[in-house]
């Protein structure tokens, strides 16, 4: 890293609470270690359009508590082509950027891996996604905040569900991962979670009903992970109306509510540690790795592992939820 003098930083893909804390940490850690910092706006798209500006420490003042990302984010189809990535590389060279720190999820790391391989360019990735679906890290930036948002929303929905003695299907994000649904269900005292990880093993709705669903309760909450394999909350509600018409069913889709809000203390601390660790990794001549955290220790996870390996669900939590929902 002795020859590298300028660090570029960008956020890409879906935004997540804590990204600003990570931007702050990367910027200030880089400056502390004597590097210049250039911020790239609108993710990989900004590399193509040249939306690149110099950052000093005051550029990241008073942002640690803000949700979203001050650098904005955007999808970029052009970056998926060799020609687009070549243009991005040319702009990086023109700006004098020697290494990149990218903050985002699976798609962001995939783009980083391809770009780094094609152009032999050092990149460090930070796992910024509310889905918590990246392999090699116990948690991702934004997950804790989204989980707390879900818990608070379910608490409010339960008030009306109890008043009307209804069955509520609450759909949460997570794409093909059930971490938000499962842990959100436990945290909010929900009766069940329907998640993609076991969708091919059992008809989760049928199992729910057959196991004495609702019993003596005057309301029931079920969290559903948005996924083609679960069918989503609307599909499940239709099934209930057709197959179990005795239930008064309602659907609530939390949607992008889960992405917003001021990050929790856990997410701010996690993002700060990971941001500082990204600069440490570059100083150690690491490249093409994601910063992960395992058992509260920073780890370097090769992009290939972080992207290709599926992160397993903790099945003991499924049993815990089942026991506590009686």
């Amino acid at each position: 890293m002795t020859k590298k003098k300028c660090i570029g930083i960008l956020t890409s893909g879906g935004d997540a609470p804590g990204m600003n804390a990570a931007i702050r940490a990367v910027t200030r850690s880089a400056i502390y270690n004597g590097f210049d910092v250039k911020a790239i706006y609108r993710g990989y798209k900004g590399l193509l359009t040249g939306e690149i500006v110099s950052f000093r420490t005051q550029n990241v003042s008073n942002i640690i508590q803000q949700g979203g990302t001050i650098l904005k984010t955007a999808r970029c189809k052009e970056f998926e082509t060799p020609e687009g990535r070549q243009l991005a590389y040319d702009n990086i060279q023109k700006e004098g950027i020697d290494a990149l720190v990218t903050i985002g999820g699976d798609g962001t790391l995939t783009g980083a891996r391809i770009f780094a391989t094609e152009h032999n360019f050092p990149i460090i990735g930070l796992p910024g996604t509310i889905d918590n679906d990246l392999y090699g890290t116990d948690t991702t930036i934004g997950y804790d905040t989204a989980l707390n948002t879900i818990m608070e929303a379910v608490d409010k929905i339960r008030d009306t569900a109890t008043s009307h003695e209804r069955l509520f299907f609450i759909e949460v994000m997570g794409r093909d991962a059930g971490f938000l649904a499962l842990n959100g269900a436990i945290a909010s005292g929900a009766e069940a979670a329907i998640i993609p990880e076991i969708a091919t093993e059992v008809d989760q709705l049928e199992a729910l009903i057959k196991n004495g669903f609702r019993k003596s309760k005057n309301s029931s909450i079920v969290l559903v992970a948005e996924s083609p394999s679960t069918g989503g909350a609307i599909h499940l509600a239709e099934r209930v109306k057709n197959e179990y018409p005795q239930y008064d069913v309602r659907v609530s889709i939390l949607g992008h509510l889960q992405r917003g809000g001021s990050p929790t203390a856990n997410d701010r601390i996690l993002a700060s540690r990971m941001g500082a660790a990204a600069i440490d990794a570059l100083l150690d001549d690491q490249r093409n790795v994601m910063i992960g955290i395992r058992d509260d220790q920073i780890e370097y996870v090769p992009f290939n592992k972080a992207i290709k390996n599926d992160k397993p669900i903790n099945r003991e939590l499924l049993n815990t939820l089942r026991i506590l929902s009686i």
Side-chain angles (χ1 to χ4, degrees), residues 35-316:
F35 303 120
D36 294 328
V37 177
K38 291 197 175 178
I40 299 126
Y41 283 81
R42 293 174 179 82
Y44 294 125
K45 185 177 180 180
L47 283 179
L48 275 69
T49 58
E51 292 185 78
I52 303 170
V53 300
S54 294
F55 257 29
R56 292 182 291 178
T57 186
Q58 55 263 45
N59 289 103
V60 294
S61 295
N62 200 32
I63 68 169
I64 194 171
Q65 77 279 10
Q66 296 177 21
T69 164
I70 64 165
L71 296 183
K72 312 299 181 186
T73 181
R75 309 291 179 183
C76 184
K77 287 292 183 183
E78 295 88 345
F79 192 76
E80 297 176 12
T81 68
E83 296 79 12
R85 292 190 292 273
Q86 181 62 52
L87 176 57
Y89 181 74
D90 292 342
N91 284 333
I92 281 176
Q93 293 297 298
K94 185 171 66 175
E95 291 286 342
I97 296 172
D98 301 301
L100 276 179
V101 176
T102 64
I103 308 169
D106 181 82
T108 300
L109 296 186
T110 299
R113 180 186 64 81
I114 295 170
F115 183 82
T117 302
E118 279 183 353
H119 296 283
N120 190 28
F121 195 79
I123 302 181
I124 303 297
L126 298 187
T129 168
I130 67 169
D131 299 342
N132 195 34
D133 60 347
L134 288 170
Y135 180 86
T137 185
D138 290 340
T139 189
T140 57
I141 297 167
Y143 172 66
D144 186 68
T145 305
L147 193 58
N148 276 276
T149 298
I150 289 168
M151 179 185 69
E152 292 166 6
V154 175
D155 287 348
K156 291 178 172 64
I157 290 170
R158 186 179 290 280
D159 290 342
T160 185
T162 302
S163 299
H164 292 274
E165 298 185 316
R166 284 172 175 160
L167 161 59
F168 263 87
F169 285 116
I170 301 176
E171 185 175 291
V172 300
M173 287 182 168
R175 200 168 54 177
D176 294 318
F179 297 100
L180 285 173
L182 178 54
N183 286 297
I186 293 173
S188 61
E191 280 62 48
I194 294 181
I195 60 175
E197 285 84 351
I198 61 171
T200 59
E201 300 174 17
V202 63
D203 184 333
Q204 295 176 84
L205 179 61
E206 183 181 359
L208 211 58
I209 302 295
K210 284 186 176 180
N211 288 339
F213 184 51
R214 291 192 76 186
K215 299 184 180 68
S216 61
K217 297 183 180 182
N218 60 8
S219 70
S220 293
I221 302 283
V222 177
L223 266 62
V224 182
E226 57 165 13
S227 169
S229 56
T230 64
I234 293 175
H235 168 73
L236 290 169
E238 289 298 322
R239 277 194 60 191
V240 170
K241 289 176 184 177
N242 293 330
E243 299 172 31
Y244 310 100
Q246 66 270 32
Y247 295 121
D248 183 14
V249 62
R250 294 290 186 276
V251 169
S252 183
I253 299 175
L254 298 187
H256 287 79
L257 173 76
Q258 298 158 85
R259 287 199 186 280
S262 181
T264 60
N266 282 338
D267 269 331
R268 297 183 196 193
I269 295 166
L270 176 69
S272 297
R273 290 181 66 187
M274 286 182 165
I279 302 303
D280 288 340
L282 289 170
L283 287 167
D284 289 340
D285 286 325
Q286 295 287 331
R287 56 166 59 203
N288 310 338
V289 296
M290 179 192 80
I291 302 298
I293 191 159
R294 301 288 293 270
D295 298 323
D296 204 36
Q297 298 297 312
I298 292 291
E299 292 191 3
Y300 301 152
V301 185
F303 283 158
N304 279 342
K305 285 189 176 182
I307 296 164
K308 292 181 179 179
N309 292 355
D310 289 330
K311 186 173 182 176
I313 204 85
N314 184 346
R315 290 181 175 250
E316 289 182 10

Side-chain angles (χ1 to χ4, degrees), residues 21-35:
I23 293 166
R24 174 182 180 269
V26 171
T27 300
R28 292 192 170 176
S29 294
I31 292 170
Y32 177 84
N33 283 283
F35 303 120

